[in-house]
Amino acid sequence: MRAAWVLLPALAALSAYYVYLPLPGAVSDPWKLMLLDATFRAAQQMGHLIHYLRFSHHLIVLNYLISTFDLYQLESVSSEDIKVTDAVFDGVEVRVFEPPARGDESLKRGVVYIHGGGWALASARTSLYINLCRIMADSLNAVVVSIEYRLIPKACFPEQYHDALRATKHFLQPDVLAEYSVDPSRIAISGDSAGGNLAAAVCQQLSKEEDLTVRPKLQALIYPVLQAFDFNTPSYQQNRNMPVLPRHVMINYWLYYFNGNHDLAHALLINNHTALDVGQALSFRGRLNWTSLLPPSFKKDYKPVVQTTGTAEIIQKMPALLDVRAVPLLADNETLQLQPKTYVLTCENDVLRDDGAMYAKRLENAGVDVTLDHFHNCFHGCMIFTLWPTDFSAAFQTRSSYIKWLDENL
Ligand SMILES: *[C@@H]1O[C@H](CO)[C@@H](O)[C@H](O)[C@H]1NC(C)=O
Ligand SMILES: *[C@@H]1O[C@H](CO)[C@@H](O)[C@H](O)[C@H]1NC(C)=O
Ligand SMILES: *[C@@H]1O[C@H](CO)[C@@H](O)[C@H](O)[C@H]1NC(C)=O
């Protein structure tokens, strides 16, 4: 009994220590975010332990936990309003959300949606994404195709990209669009985080293919990850410890995506891979010069981190670091000019804020019509967290702004 009086406060203090994180004052629902982050960290640590014991890959464990603790299991719930079917588009699994026919208006809009999760986590079957796709299908009267691309560790770059491209190209065929009653002139490609990366890369590739008869009207990128050249942009510096995506975790996802050696993580973190003496990187430097691409409110007092001497072998071992199919921000001006009207959503409390903001600026410089929708009080990944107990006001705020833009522009 006595022991309990000592143990309980000690446990409480320990849990508080585990959960508590200093967060910037402007983040909405800070306590909820700390709890979400602590849960996510605990799941990651359990994954690492199981990985260490060599039972399974930690990302497989994490994904297993995500699907097992998916409280809603929306997968098995059919809705009266939206028809949900699974299909295979050119060998790639997809989940299709179709709104019912409405009166005489026969053709619908179309949205290709690519979910996020570091090319490793979540699924088109995760309730949070099913919920998002349903709401989009319903509020936009759109057929939403959610791509179930293969994930790390089963697949790495360029497999995820190829899956996303193949499924999208299959959908864009006139006879397939006709089958789903989709208007070929009203199609958007969209995705969040790593899905935003794939969406941007797919859009670039489609714009370069001359024999396509149907092209997307829009792209909408939600806090996309777009470059692995500079891990010291102002947002990477400012948010390096921010939940749910601290800088070292993002670097690890890149290393997994490229099937790279994790011993290189620190070299990447200090930009050794793109030092001034690394010849292959030089010509790309001007394409993501944040001192000219970002507004002063983003740059604040942060200084560029540019090494004079670095490690040239990193890019030799991982040439994908400079491959535009993985890092769409490094595309040339000619490709950028061909991009459709673009929406980019960014969050202030996100290492990837500047990836999105720099892409928006480069597209704008290339003459593309761009909307940069920036949220001061939001964090990376927030838009999908609309279901209790992980329901954040940031989610509703960003989601309604995103859907509103699509509604007005698609
Ligand atoms: C980046 O932009 C700044 C400001 O426009 C300029 O002074 C600098 O030379 C540029 N650096 C590179 C590598 O292009
Ligand atoms: C970065 O590169 C320099 C020069 O090659 C090297 O001395 C240093 O050890 C590297 N740092 C890391 C963390 O790899
Ligand atoms: C690409 O566009 C930017 C902005 O308009 C311009 O500063 C740069 O010189 C262009 N690069 C090339 C290679 O044309």
Side-chain angles (χ1 to χ4, degrees):
M1 201 55 209
R2 279 251 175 90
W5 286 112
V6 181
L7 271 175
L8 277 178
L11 263 177
L14 259 178
S15 331
Y17 177 74
Y18 191 79
V19 171
Y20 180 76
L21 273 177
L23 291 175
V27 181
S28 64
D29 304 315
W31 278 102
K32 226 175 219 180
L33 179 55
M34 284 181 217
L35 281 171
L36 174 71
D37 180 62
T39 312
F40 198 55
R41 266 188 294 137
Q44 281 171 311
Q45 280 155 0
M46 189 192 295
H48 280 290
L49 178 67
I50 293 171
H51 189 121
Y52 176 76
L53 299 172
R54 294 175 193 273
F55 289 128
S56 181
H57 192 285
H58 74 94
L59 291 170
I60 292 181
V61 179
L62 195 52
N63 236 348
Y64 175 80
L65 292 173
I66 289 174
S67 60
T68 308
F69 291 95
D70 189 339
L71 292 184
Y72 290 82
Q73 303 290 342
L74 287 181
E75 190 179 346
S76 52
V77 182
S78 63
S79 120
E80 325 75 56
D81 309 332
I82 304 292
K83 181 171 134 199
V84 183
T85 47
D86 288 328
V88 177
F89 281 5
D90 192 15
V92 180
E93 288 179 43
V94 296
R95 177 155 274 211
V96 186
F97 300 78
E98 291 172 83
R102 281 175 197 170
D104 53 352
E105 175 196 355
S106 53
L107 289 184
K108 300 174 182 118
R109 296 148 151 175
V111 178
V112 171
Y113 196 84
I114 312 176
H115 73 80
W119 309 280
L121 302 176
S123 153
R125 295 181 170 83
T126 310
S127 295
L128 294 172
Y129 283 109
I130 292 176
N131 190 45
L132 173 66
C133 290
R134 271 199 187 147
I135 284 173
M136 285 168 70
D138 186 43
S139 48
L140 297 167
N141 190 30
V143 172
V144 178
V145 173
S146 182
I147 302 179
E148 191 73 306
Y149 58 91
R150 285 166 298 160
L151 300 175
I152 298 164
K154 213 161 107 192
C156 57
F157 178 80
E159 313 268 22
Q160 280 85 339
Y161 162 79
H162 279 144
D163 284 359
L165 182 63
R166 277 163 63 187
T168 305
K169 283 177 75 173
H170 179 90
F171 183 58
L172 293 181
Q173 296 174 100
D175 54 329
V176 176
L177 294 172
E179 196 184 310
Y180 287 103
S181 306
V182 170
D183 183 343
S185 65
R186 302 180 78 184
I187 297 168
I189 303 205
S190 187
D192 61 298
S193 194
N197 166 279
L198 295 169
V202 164
C203 257
Q204 288 189 4
Q205 178 58 29
L206 293 177
S207 70
K208 287 189 268 193
E209 293 195 8
E210 277 161 15
D211 50 352
L212 280 187
T213 50
V214 179
R215 289 178 193 283
K217 182 183 185 188
L218 310 171
Q219 66 176 334
L221 312 174
I222 313 302
Y223 32 74
V225 44
L226 297 168
Q227 59 92 21
F229 191 97
D230 183 354
F231 292 107
N232 292 276
T233 60
S235 63
Y236 263 113
Q237 296 190 46
Q238 173 182 302
N239 301 300
R240 61 186 180 276
N241 296 318
M242 183 66 60
V244 292
L245 187 67
R247 172 166 61 178
H248 71 275
V249 173
M250 188 61 238
I251 291 176
N252 278 329
Y253 282 126
W254 275 118
L255 284 167
Y256 277 119
Y257 192 35
F258 294 154
N259 199 16
N261 182 341
H262 286 256
D263 294 343
L264 297 175
H266 191 66
L268 293 178
L269 191 143
I270 60 169
N271 288 345
N272 247 17
H273 60 307
T274 50
L276 293 175
D277 69 338
V278 176
Q280 303 99 308
L282 265 184
S283 60
F284 292 97
R285 187 161 290 283
R287 296 188 188 167
L288 80 172
N289 181 358
W290 60 255
T291 57
S292 62
L293 291 170
L294 294 178
S297 60
F298 281 25
K299 287 192 277 192
K300 303 195 174 87
D301 289 328
Y302 293 104
K303 298 280 173 296
V305 174
V306 182
Q307 307 291 348
T308 0
T309 56
T311 323
E313 302 87 74
I314 300 178
I315 283 175
Q316 282 152 20
K317 281 190 201 137
M318 283 189 287
L321 281 163
L322 300 177
D323 186 328
V324 292
R325 298 172 304 166
V327 289
L329 182 58
L330 297 190
D332 55 32
N333 287 358
E334 291 68 36
T335 306
L336 295 184
Q337 275 164 15
L338 299 172
Q339 298 316 298
K341 192 169 186 178
T342 300
Y343 171 89
V344 182
L345 186 149
T346 52
C347 298
E348 179 64 23
N349 307 293
D350 179 1
V351 289
L352 300 176
R353 178 197 69 186
D354 298 342
D355 283 29
M358 286 193 282
Y359 197 48
K361 190 67 190 170
R362 284 202 66 209
L363 286 168
E364 191 186 294
N365 289 346
V368 177
D369 186 347
V370 183
T371 301
L372 177 63
D373 199 6
H374 182 61
F375 289 83
H376 292 280
N377 54 346
C378 295
F379 58 93
H380 186 79
C382 64
M383 196 180 82
I384 59 167
F385 292 111
T386 51
L387 298 174
W388 186 89
T390 53
D391 51 335
F392 286 84
S393 61
F396 296 98
Q397 211 183 328
T398 48
R399 189 180 73 187
S400 51
S401 193
Y402 162 62
I403 292 181
K404 179 164 176 275
W405 186 87
L406 282 175
D407 194 33
E408 286 167 358
N409 292 280
L410 185 56

